[in-house]
């Protein structure tokens, strides 16, 4: 691990605290955002890999399209995107999206626990979750 990978670390107006995910296009971090008035809040920062930032126009275009779409969406079942841009970091320029952090368990965690215990999610909970998911998709 290089110093550029060490956490916590500064990333523009954000302090990256913990990597919570990684995919083909980039990484997702739990972060802290600070305001001029000194208020802080937890958020999520999604970054694009450097090699995609600089060399793959298609990947950058997809990310920019995602950002444009995401900032327009507002629904109780969708996390709000409140910032997007490019930050100069130790390993080059990085595109990013910053979005609200929703505290709680995720669906994958619930599914894993159900499988490990050999007990499926109760039907009423599964149907409720599905309904909420569909509402978010409809938005």
């Amino acid at each position: 691990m290089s110093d550029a990978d060490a956490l916590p670390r500064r990333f523009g107006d954000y302090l990256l605290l913990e990597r919570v995910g990684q995919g083909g296009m980039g990484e997702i971090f739990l972060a802290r955002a600070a305001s001029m008035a000194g208020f802080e809040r937890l958020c999520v920062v999604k970054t694009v890999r450097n090699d995609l930032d600089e060399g793959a126009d298609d990947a950058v275009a997809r990310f920019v399209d995602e950002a444009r779409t995401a900032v327009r969406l507002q629904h109780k079942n969708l996390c709000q995107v409140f910032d997007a841009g490019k930050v100069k970091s130790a390993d080059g320029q990085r595109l990013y999206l910053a979005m609200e952090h929703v505290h709680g368990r995720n669906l994958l965690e619930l599914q894993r626990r159900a499988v490990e215990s050999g007990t499926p999610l109760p039907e009423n909970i599964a149907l409720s979750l599905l309904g909420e998911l569909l509402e978010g998709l409809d938005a």
Side-chain angles (χ1 to χ4, degrees):
M1 178 184 286
S2 72
D3 287 342
D5 294 330
L7 294 173
R9 74 173 181 268
R10 267 273 150 235
F11 183 80
D13 292 335
Y14 304 94
L15 179 64
L16 304 181
L17 303 171
E18 173 186 346
R19 184 167 65 182
V20 294
Q22 182 174 352
M25 287 190 62
E27 298 174 295
I28 300 171
F29 296 91
L30 178 64
R32 186 176 299 127
S35 71
M36 288 182 10
F39 299 107
E40 295 183 341
R41 68 176 170 177
L42 287 178
C43 64
V44 173
V45 173
K46 178 179 180 180
T47 64
V48 174
R49 289 189 348 232
N50 282 350
D51 59 323
L52 296 179
D53 270 359
E54 298 170 2
D57 291 337
D58 185 47
V60 171
R62 284 194 320 263
F63 186 82
V64 170
D65 285 345
E66 176 185 345
R68 281 191 185 123
T69 301
V71 296
R72 288 187 211 133
L73 295 173
Q74 292 196 354
H75 188 272
K76 68 177 184 158
N77 295 339
L78 301 174
C79 65
Q80 182 183 6
V81 173
F82 54 81
D83 192 16
K86 193 178 242 189
V87 167
K88 184 174 182 167
S89 65
D91 55 352
Q93 296 278 337
R94 302 285 300 262
L95 290 170
Y96 74 92
L97 286 177
M99 57 195 86
E100 76 175 301
H101 172 256
V102 179
H103 181 74
R105 293 189 177 138
N106 64 42
L107 190 54
L108 182 58
E109 190 178 319
L110 288 174
Q111 179 189 14
R112 272 193 206 132
R113 287 183 182 208
V115 168
E116 287 172 2
S117 70
T119 306
L121 286 176
E123 186 176 304
N124 62 329
I125 293 175
L127 289 173
S128 177
L129 290 171
L130 180 60
E132 296 293 327
L133 175 74
L134 292 172
E135 279 187 32
L137 285 172
D138 185 52

